[in-house]
Amino acid sequence: MNVRLVVNGRAHEVDVPVHALLLDVLRDGLDLKGAKRSCDAQVCGACTVLVDGLAVSACTYLAVEADGRAVTTVEGLAEDGRLHPIQQAFLDCGAVQCGFCTSGMLLTTRALLEEHPAPTRDDIVHDLCGSLCRCTGYRKIVEAIGAAARAPAGARAPETRRDAEPVGAPPLRVVGHSVPRIDGGEKVTGRARYVTDLAMPGMAHAKVLRSPYAHARLGRVDASRARAHPGVLAVLTGGDLAGQCEPYYGPAFRDRPLLAIDVARYEGDPVAAAVAVDETTAAEALELIDVDYTPLPAVITLEEALAPGAALVHTGQPLAGHFADLATLRPEPGTNVCHRFRYARGHAETALAEAHLVLEDTFRFPRVQHYAMEPNAALAAWDETGALTVWASTQNPYSVRVELAKMFAVPLARIRIVVPHLGGGFGSKTYAKLEPLAAALARAAGRPVRLAASAAEAFQTVRRCSSRVTVRAGFAQDGTLVAVDCRADFDVGAYADIGPRVVQKATYTATGPYRVAHVALDARAVYTNTTPGGAFRGFGVPQLAWALESLMDVAADRLGRDPVDLRRQNLLAHGEEFAPGDTPIDGKLEESLGRAATAIRWTTQRDAGSARGVAAMLKASVAPSVSEAIVRLHADGSVTVLASTVEMGQGARTMLAQVAAEVLAVPVARVTVATPDTAITPYDQTTSSSRSTVMTGRAVMEAAEDVREQLFRVAAGRFGAAARDLVLEDGAVVAGDQRLPYPEVLALRFGMSGGELIGRGVVAPGRTAAPLGGSTPFWEMAVGAAEVSLDEETGAVRVERYVSVADVGRAINPLVLEGQDEGAVVQGLGHTLLEEMVYEEGHLLNGTLLIYRVPRAEDVPPALECRFVENADGSGPFGAKGAGEGSLIPVSPAVANALARLTGLRLRELPLTPERVWRALRMRERG
């Protein structure tokens, strides 16, 4: 059908099928990639465009409906090369993180301001009900919309709250300031490219056939009709993999096949995949694959999986993965336990027997989906020499490279992983996910292949591990926490993924931020016939903190103590040992607790119908760990930073630019940070565990300092001065009143106006005597305080006010960091009040965003404050520490503790849905 439309002021005439969507016409027909595909269900708003000025969801809007109409995409917002006030406001207010939702947010805002030029906060929140953001926590988006409405009056964004400059640290020129994100311009104009925005000549598209059963034996898998279908280039089944590649992969155990071999182990397990000239043809091919399934008994819950005689998810012993700290993992034969972690110090049983008060209780944490706005995607291409390049939405390019090298028997040097912009991660894109299958399909098809999961398929790819945690805590009469015994079971799903590391890293810190002399920890990673569980923001610590922090409030009540005072009494002090051989505590927990209590008005009389709760956390980062960086100073005095930390919204590239700019005394605008590319950027272990600022930031700092020392050595001879007497100022080496700009220094060094100085930084602490084999590079610590109200008729819990205080050492970029912590808090509210993947008889009942409820703007507390403790006492650049995960962790226990103080009800299972709370209220009434 012929459709005529005007897009961003330009007339277009296109021939489309009658069922074609406007989103496909814009993205594939007109190469306007700003509108994004995410939910495919008119829920998330990422695809929003304007049609005759009205906001529509292009993912469900037929192209024929736009015939004769004017369409505006984000690419059409800027005028005469100048950003629209809405775009500028989003940058000024820090409302841009991963950027995947940004285009839709901007156009939604444009439509709102056309209708309501001076919207109230309620107007803005209501208008955002159809727009999701998983990164920002919405607060800065609401602020940006308000600022855009006031733009003609010259209103600016509100200042980021900072209590003070770091104690004892000199003020810096760039670090510590809220400079604009270096990737912000790309994201607000629609120029940022994600994997699904990329295309290559001859590129084909892949689709995956998934098991409809939780557990089934595969009989005949007949793909002959699919292979004969016009436009189909290749079809693979599990039986086709032998001889083509090593079919199993995984970071802990190599227990996950590219495609199911003999057995499908969960609903959604990939069984076959088709490659075709387009996605429609590939989907048609899946319908032509005949599979004979024989259903097998399935274990869905921890109780079922651990029961005597339970059906086994895996009957053999899988191969070990490729991480040194997981090399000793062994499954327990004949059970569904794929890893067991034990740790003890002191004499827990004796101490518990002698304690004045012993509390024991069990707490449950749900399965949760990450829902990064950009689902997993990979584009793979083999060249004529047998080298492989993969453009991947991954947080771990180097780990993916190792995995592919093993699977396809290709040297590391011939595998290249390139990471473009990432639309959120939160752990869902750690380690290999779609990349191995995309590579296998590209080899089979003989051309580049793009494999992109849908939002629904993301629910069948990875999730947070659910848990059942039983804690016994013993207290002395004066309130001293003397002993903790913790028994935890984590549901890691059908394949181990990184679940065993989640279990041992989290359980290791099950005692939280407290001084405990006697400890006994025992945790199991348990297979079930459900979506594999893996890394998720907090890395298992939210599950443990939910239990311990709830018990701390119960203890305070039983001991007649104030919950804040009881915590303060037991907090680890700065410099105190957490465990023998590990890094001493590098923050001031008491200061964080005090600031949170003050901000939530802990000691003032609360309003009727509300109550306050508090919780604290402590988390170790991954260790041992390695980060490398290269800094290049060019002949014109500009700087390039080469590092492989992945920008997924957290502001890592901006942070690295600020660090380099600070050391080399150049403006941030003169620093370019390359995107991760294993052929260009040096090794970095992972973008996870809040490690980028400390580890990669330190590597960049060392590399920049290396360049600085080279500048000093060259200039010292010209000045006739010692290198130690020189300083850098505004792009020049300075000695007293003498000044030598960088281009002149380089010309002096190379005898011409060319060449460059190259610095290298390597941060590799190595293995230590710490219990897990490596000392944590830093401790992430935060305190959360909540004020809640309750509608007793419905059971709905409302968080009226939330305060987060994170000990960050030094905030490299306060605005970016504040946005990270706000997003963490709101994501924490998701699993606290709303989110849970629900299974029934092996089937996931809510595996789409039509049913699975993530927080919206209306769910954000009316008062949300994120504050920082800055003492410049971290091991990162300029005293910084990692942040971004910690503020999520106290949310659940802080809210539940407030609810308990309000109602007397102690709930032990998340989420605290209205139905769950209402039923607890009714049970209490019945006695």
Side-chain angles (χ1 to χ4, degrees), residues 462-482:
V462 68
R463 59 168 173 83
R464 187 189 286 278
C465 300
S466 58
S467 67
R468 179 184 64 191
V469 178
T470 299
V471 175
R472 283 191 298 156
F475 293 83
Q477 191 168 3
D478 68 353
T480 300
L481 178 58
V482 296

Side-chain angles (χ1 to χ4, degrees), residues 43 77 118 128 200 209 213 243 387 426 526 566 594 623 669 674 685 743 760 777 807 834 849 921:
V43 175
L77 277 184
L128 291 176
M200 295 182 65
L209 179 68
Y213 296 96
F426 318 116
V526 182
L566 182 64
Q685 181 178 342
R760 185 180 182 211
D807 189 327
L834 303 167
L849 287 172
L921 290 168

Side-chain angles (χ1 to χ4, degrees), residues 119-327:
T120 65
R121 183 184 184 280
D122 288 345
D123 291 333
I124 295 170
V125 169
H126 175 74
D127 202 64
L128 291 176
C129 66
S131 299
L132 299 180
C133 177
R134 201 62 158 156
C135 296
T136 67
Y138 299 101
R139 180 171 173 261
K140 298 204 179 311
I141 292 173
V142 173
E143 290 176 352
I145 296 172
R150 300 188 301 272
R156 300 293 294 174
E159 290 294 321
T160 301
R161 176 185 295 277
R162 298 189 76 188
D163 293 316
E165 286 291 326
V167 176
L172 300 172
R173 183 181 54 84
V174 175
V175 165
H177 299 276
S178 296
V179 304
R181 294 181 65 106
I182 65 173
D183 56 0
E186 296 175 85
K187 291 176 176 177
V188 299
T189 57
R191 292 184 286 110
R193 290 293 180 262
Y194 303 78
V195 172
T196 51
D197 298 329
L198 305 179
M200 295 182 65
M203 184 180 76
H205 301 264
K207 290 288 186 181
V208 177
L209 179 68
R210 298 176 179 274
S211 170
Y213 296 96
H215 201 192
R217 185 164 303 283
L218 303 180
R220 181 178 61 102
V221 182
D222 185 354
S224 58
R225 291 194 300 145
R227 292 188 174 104
H229 189 60
V232 172
L233 303 171
V235 179
L236 287 181
T237 70
D240 300 321
L241 299 176
Q244 293 196 25
C245 65
E246 163 56 49
Y248 291 94
Y249 67 101
F253 293 118
R254 303 180 68 80
D255 60 354
R256 191 169 188 168
L258 284 177
L259 298 165
I261 298 173
D262 299 328
V263 176
R265 292 181 172 86
Y266 71 100
E267 181 189 51
D269 206 354
V271 172
V275 181
V277 294
D278 54 42
E279 292 188 19
T280 299
T281 305
E284 291 170 352
L286 299 186
E287 299 293 327
L288 301 175
I289 300 173
D290 298 315
V291 183
D292 290 338
Y293 296 98
T294 302
L296 298 171
V299 289
I300 306 303
T301 66
L302 284 167
E303 288 76 12
E304 291 172 351
L306 293 169
L312 297 181
V313 179
H314 294 267
T315 55
Q317 182 162 325
L319 299 172
H322 57 266
F323 285 108
D325 64 321
L326 300 181

Side-chain angles (χ1 to χ4, degrees), residues 29 92 226 317 382 438 456 472 479 486 589 597 601 680 683 731 740 764 800 894:
D92 292 342
Q317 182 162 325
W382 297 84
R472 283 191 298 156
C486 177
L589 287 154
R601 301 169 299 178
I680 299 170
Y683 181 84
L740 198 62
E800 305 288 353

Side-chain angles (χ1 to χ4, degrees), residues 351-352 355 357-359 471-485 510-519 548-549 551-552 555 559 561 566-567 569-571:
L352 286 166
L357 172 67
V358 176
L359 300 171
V471 175
R472 283 191 298 156
F475 293 83
Q477 191 168 3
D478 68 353
T480 300
L481 178 58
V482 296
V484 169
D485 178 280
T511 53
Y514 305 112
R515 182 185 306 105
V516 188
H518 305 282
V519 177
L548 181 65
E549 288 298 307
L551 272 189
M552 288 296 290
L559 293 167
R561 296 286 300 278
L566 182 64
R567 286 177 170 83
Q569 174 185 342
N570 288 287
L571 287 174

